[in-house]
Amino acid sequence: MIDDDLWSAVGDPTRRRMLDLLLVDGGGTATTLSEQLPVTRQAVAKHLGVLDRVGLVHATPLGRERRYEVDEAQLARAVAQLSSVGATWDARLQRIKRIAERIQRQTGEIS
Amino acid sequence: MIDDDLWSAVGDPTRRRMLDLLLVDGGGTATTLSEQLPVTRQAVAKHLGVLDRVGLVHATPLGRERRYEVDEAQLARAVAQLSSVGATWDARLQRIKRIAERIQRQTGEIS
DNA sequence: GTTGACGTGCAACCGATGGTTGCATTCAAG
DNA sequence: CTTGAATGCAACCATCGGTTGCACGTCAAC
């Protein structure tokens, strides 16, 4: 079954870009992330809270800053669910297509 | 580039279930969908509006009802984008892992 | 044709959420 | 100790998913 919390966490475009930045930079703080994003630091902080709550990132206090890093295992889980839903729809599409072809073939035989 | 509108359209769990129902039933109306969902007809109607606006479904007035069907090509596009983002993250994760291994190897050589 | 039932559309309302601004707090550095 | 950078907290606003209520068509049956 799919985890709606994980999906909706990844569903927000800003959070997706944040995950991307955290991956390429190998971690970051709310301030450093907000500098590379079109939103304020506070908005980034809220998003980090959401990502933390579903376990996609993990915070470590470092001096006066709060460094966040991606939890690779959890992100891998999220990726797996994405591809799972995609595969389901893909299968349904192909099934519909097969049925459509079969019906067309039968109709052809009848007429 | 990724299409945020398409993504956020399939980002909602109710809309995902609606797409699923439309696929297995081969189409439906706001009323028939709401009977198979834990939300009201009006909520379903709003979601159908969203899906229609991004081209994932297509409506055809039929007597007094309004029948909706999935636009397979557009859904295929959405699936492609899902797997695209997933692949990007997957690649980043593996790259990080490779770098980590290399650093570990170097550290091992140094120490 | 009227009546009634079914399906739809529109509007108002509510709670959650993504976003903002502003301010208080903490901690490193001079 | 004071200053500046980083965080945290609170209030506020717009949007969105969801609801209820009502008005408008349309099909069918009397």
Side-chain angles (χ1 to χ4, degrees), chain A residues 74-96:
Chain A
Q74 191 71 353
L75 182 58
R77 268 195 67 203
V79 170
Q81 297 194 0
L82 288 194
S83 63
S84 160
V85 172
T88 300
W89 282 341
D90 231 10
R92 294 218 205 286
L93 285 177
Q94 295 194 357
R95 216 192 48 173
I96 302 292

Side-chain angles (χ1 to χ4, degrees), chain B residues 30-101:
Chain B
T31 307
T32 66
L33 283 178
S34 69
E35 288 166 354
Q36 315 175 55
L37 288 170
V39 296
T40 59
R41 173 187 63 85
Q42 285 82 346
V44 171
K46 284 190 189 176
H47 285 306
L48 283 173
V50 174
L51 292 175
D52 198 358
R53 227 166 285 128
V54 300
L56 276 171
V57 301
H58 162 247
T60 64
L62 199 67
R64 69 181 155 187
E65 23 178 78
R66 210 146 189 266
R67 180 157 210 85
Y68 286 87
E69 288 181 12
V70 176
D71 184 317
E72 304 192 359
Q74 192 71 354
L75 183 58
R77 267 195 68 204
V79 170
Q81 297 195 358
L82 288 193
S83 63
S84 161
V85 172
T88 300
W89 283 341
D90 233 9
R92 294 218 206 287
L93 285 177
Q94 295 194 357
R95 216 191 46 176
I96 301 292
K97 213 169 292 178
R98 273 208 320 273
I99 294 176
E101 287 171 2

Side-chain angles (χ1 to χ4, degrees), chain A residues 7-18 47, chain B residues 4 7-8:
Chain A
W7 183 292
S8 71
V10 160
D12 185 84
T14 302
R15 285 196 284 266
R16 274 201 306 280
R17 298 191 57 188
M18 285 172 55
H47 284 307
Chain B
D4 274 353
W7 183 293
S8 70

Side-chain angles (χ1 to χ4, degrees), chain A residues 17 19 28 32 35 37 44 57 60 63 84 87 96 99 106-107 110:
Chain A
R17 298 191 57 188
L19 286 174
T32 65
E35 288 166 354
L37 287 170
V44 172
V57 301
T60 65
S84 160
I96 302 292
I99 293 176
Q106 286 179 348
T107 309
I110 292 175

